[in-house]
């Protein structure tokens, strides 16, 4: 079965939430989540957010909507506040902060219950297979536009 309704998390008012369990492979020798693992958690959440709004990486890469496209991380600022440990169940929250032209800024937070563990400000660029910045096709841009916090879209 390939259609698990909760595998990609869920869309909520203001964004997306992805549950993540911490496994041994995510930790360092102290039993605390290794800092690089958080980057993987954030990446999964961004990918699943896009998937749930109807933007699929495989379709972009194949050029289903025109030329071959991809999202590339341009900047990422992380603020580590508290550690996570093995077997913790975390929630990765993703929301769009800004969408302009070929650039998408996202805010991402990882919580354990009500406790904020880490936050990230991420800017991704929409690029062609040649690495040139470009805008999303209108139909895909409209899918993102529905999840903006306000009318900040300037496609």
């Amino acid at each position: 079965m390939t259609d698990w309704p909760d595998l990609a998390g869920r869309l909520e008012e203001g964004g997306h939430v992805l549950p993540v369990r911490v496994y041994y492979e995510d930790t360092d020798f102290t039993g605390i989540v290794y800092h690089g693992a958080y980057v993987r958690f954030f990446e999964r959440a961004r990918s699943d957010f896009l998937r749930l709004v109807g933007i699929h990486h495989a379709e972009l890469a194949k050029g289903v909507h025109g030329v071959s496209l991809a999202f590339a991380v341009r900047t990422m600022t992380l603020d580590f506040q508290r550690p996570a440990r093995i077997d913790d169940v975390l929630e990765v929250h993703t929301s769009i902060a800004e969408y302009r032209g070929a650039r998408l800024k996202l805010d991402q937070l990882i919580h354990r219950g009500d406790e904020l563990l880490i936050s990230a400000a991420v800017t991704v660029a929409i690029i062609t297979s040649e690495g040139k910045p470009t805008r999303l096709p209108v139909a895909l841009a409209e899918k993102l536009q529905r999840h903006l916090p306000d009318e900040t879209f300037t496609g």
Side-chain angles (χ1 to χ4, degrees):
M1 179 176 185
T2 59
D3 188 24
W4 292 59
D6 56 352
L7 185 61
R10 64 186 178 273
L11 293 174
E12 293 186 345
E13 184 68 32
H16 174 262
V17 179
L18 178 70
V20 175
R21 181 176 302 279
V22 175
Y23 293 100
Y24 182 78
E25 67 185 15
D26 302 316
T27 63
D28 63 17
F29 69 96
T30 67
I32 291 175
V33 172
Y34 179 68
H35 71 277
Y38 293 107
V39 175
R40 289 193 313 270
F41 299 161
F42 285 135
E43 176 66 31
R44 291 176 199 163
R46 287 192 308 276
S47 294
D48 282 334
F49 170 61
L50 291 171
R51 180 178 293 110
L52 288 178
V53 300
I55 300 173
H56 302 272
H57 289 295
E59 289 179 1
L60 289 174
K62 289 179 186 174
V64 170
H65 304 282
V67 298
S68 177
L69 298 173
F71 288 92
V73 172
R74 186 169 188 282
T75 60
M76 179 181 285
T77 303
L78 304 172
D79 183 10
F80 297 92
Q81 297 182 19
R82 298 199 185 311
R85 294 181 170 76
I86 193 164
D87 289 332
D88 282 353
V89 175
L90 310 176
E91 287 188 353
V92 185
H93 296 256
T94 303
S95 60
I96 299 174
E98 182 181 313
Y99 176 39
R100 295 187 188 280
R103 183 177 39 197
L104 178 63
K105 292 184 180 182
L106 301 137
D107 291 324
Q108 294 191 277
L109 307 169
I110 294 180
H111 287 89
R112 179 181 49 224
D114 293 333
E115 187 177 30
L116 176 62
L117 304 182
I118 179 172
S119 59
V122 184
T123 301
V124 295
I126 299 118
I127 60 170
T128 65
S129 58
E130 292 83 32
K132 295 180 181 178
T134 189
R135 295 171 190 265
L136 280 175
V138 173
L140 298 180
E142 288 172 352
K143 291 179 182 196
L144 281 181
Q145 197 172 2
R146 292 182 203 129
H147 297 277
L148 288 171
D150 55 31
E151 294 303 317
T152 58
F153 174 70
T154 58

